Short mmCIF file of all heavy atoms in Angstrom, two decimals:
data_model
loop_
_atom_site.label_atom_id
_atom_site.label_comp_id
_atom_site.label_asym_id
_atom_site.label_seq_id
_atom_site.Cartn_x
_atom_site.Cartn_y
_atom_site.Cartn_z
N LYS C 150 -29.89 33.45 6.45
CA LYS C 150 -28.76 33.51 5.53
C LYS C 150 -27.92 32.26 5.76
O LYS C 150 -27.87 31.75 6.89
CB LYS C 150 -27.89 34.74 5.77
CG LYS C 150 -28.55 36.07 5.49
CD LYS C 150 -27.59 37.24 5.76
CE LYS C 150 -28.23 38.58 5.46
NZ LYS C 150 -27.30 39.71 5.74
N LEU C 151 -27.25 31.80 4.70
CA LEU C 151 -26.37 30.64 4.83
C LEU C 151 -25.00 30.98 4.27
O LEU C 151 -24.88 31.45 3.14
CB LEU C 151 -26.95 29.44 4.07
CG LEU C 151 -26.06 28.19 3.98
CD1 LEU C 151 -25.78 27.64 5.37
CD2 LEU C 151 -26.73 27.13 3.10
N ILE C 152 -23.97 30.77 5.08
CA ILE C 152 -22.59 30.91 4.63
C ILE C 152 -22.06 29.50 4.42
O ILE C 152 -21.96 28.71 5.36
CB ILE C 152 -21.74 31.68 5.65
CG1 ILE C 152 -22.36 33.07 5.89
CG2 ILE C 152 -20.30 31.81 5.17
CD1 ILE C 152 -21.83 33.76 7.12
N PHE C 153 -21.73 29.20 3.18
CA PHE C 153 -21.46 27.83 2.72
C PHE C 153 -20.00 27.75 2.30
O PHE C 153 -19.63 28.17 1.21
CB PHE C 153 -22.41 27.54 1.55
CG PHE C 153 -22.44 26.11 1.07
CD1 PHE C 153 -23.32 25.20 1.63
CD2 PHE C 153 -21.62 25.69 0.03
CE1 PHE C 153 -23.38 23.89 1.16
CE2 PHE C 153 -21.67 24.39 -0.43
CZ PHE C 153 -22.55 23.48 0.13
N ILE C 154 -19.16 27.23 3.20
CA ILE C 154 -17.71 27.24 2.97
C ILE C 154 -17.23 25.87 2.52
O ILE C 154 -17.38 24.87 3.24
CB ILE C 154 -16.94 27.67 4.23
CG1 ILE C 154 -17.39 29.07 4.69
CG2 ILE C 154 -15.44 27.67 3.97
CD1 ILE C 154 -16.65 29.56 5.93
N SER C 155 -16.65 25.82 1.33
CA SER C 155 -15.89 24.67 0.84
C SER C 155 -16.64 23.35 0.99
O SER C 155 -16.20 22.44 1.69
CB SER C 155 -14.54 24.59 1.56
OG SER C 155 -13.68 23.69 0.91
N SER C 156 -17.77 23.25 0.30
CA SER C 156 -18.51 22.00 0.34
C SER C 156 -19.33 21.84 -0.93
O SER C 156 -19.20 22.61 -1.88
CB SER C 156 -19.41 21.94 1.58
OG SER C 156 -19.81 20.61 1.82
N ALA C 157 -20.17 20.81 -0.95
CA ALA C 157 -20.95 20.46 -2.14
C ALA C 157 -22.35 20.06 -1.72
O ALA C 157 -22.57 19.65 -0.58
CB ALA C 157 -20.28 19.31 -2.88
N TYR C 158 -23.29 20.17 -2.65
CA TYR C 158 -24.65 19.76 -2.31
C TYR C 158 -24.93 18.32 -2.72
O TYR C 158 -25.96 17.76 -2.37
CB TYR C 158 -25.69 20.71 -2.93
CG TYR C 158 -25.92 20.54 -4.41
CD1 TYR C 158 -26.76 19.55 -4.90
CD2 TYR C 158 -25.29 21.37 -5.33
CE1 TYR C 158 -26.98 19.40 -6.27
CE2 TYR C 158 -25.49 21.23 -6.68
CZ TYR C 158 -26.34 20.24 -7.15
OH TYR C 158 -26.55 20.09 -8.49
N LYS C 159 -23.97 17.69 -3.43
CA LYS C 159 -24.09 16.27 -3.76
C LYS C 159 -22.69 15.68 -3.92
O LYS C 159 -21.70 16.42 -4.10
CB LYS C 159 -24.91 16.05 -5.02
CG LYS C 159 -24.34 16.63 -6.29
CD LYS C 159 -25.24 16.32 -7.49
CE LYS C 159 -24.67 16.92 -8.78
NZ LYS C 159 -25.55 16.61 -9.94
N THR C 160 -22.62 14.37 -3.86
CA THR C 160 -21.34 13.67 -3.89
C THR C 160 -20.49 14.09 -5.08
O THR C 160 -19.28 14.33 -4.95
CB THR C 160 -21.58 12.15 -3.94
OG1 THR C 160 -22.35 11.76 -2.81
CG2 THR C 160 -20.26 11.39 -3.94
N GLU C 161 -21.11 14.18 -6.25
CA GLU C 161 -20.35 14.47 -7.48
C GLU C 161 -19.78 15.88 -7.50
O GLU C 161 -19.01 16.21 -8.41
CB GLU C 161 -21.24 14.24 -8.70
CG GLU C 161 -21.66 12.81 -8.93
CD GLU C 161 -22.81 12.35 -8.04
OE1 GLU C 161 -23.39 13.21 -7.32
OE2 GLU C 161 -23.12 11.15 -8.02
N GLY C 162 -20.14 16.70 -6.53
CA GLY C 162 -19.57 18.03 -6.45
C GLY C 162 -18.11 18.03 -6.05
O GLY C 162 -17.38 18.99 -6.31
#
Side-chain angles (χ1 to χ4, degrees):
K150 295 180 179 179
L151 174 62
I152 302 165
F153 189 89
I154 302 180
S155 193
S156 197
Y158 75 82
K159 63 179 179 180
T160 302
E161 294 79 7

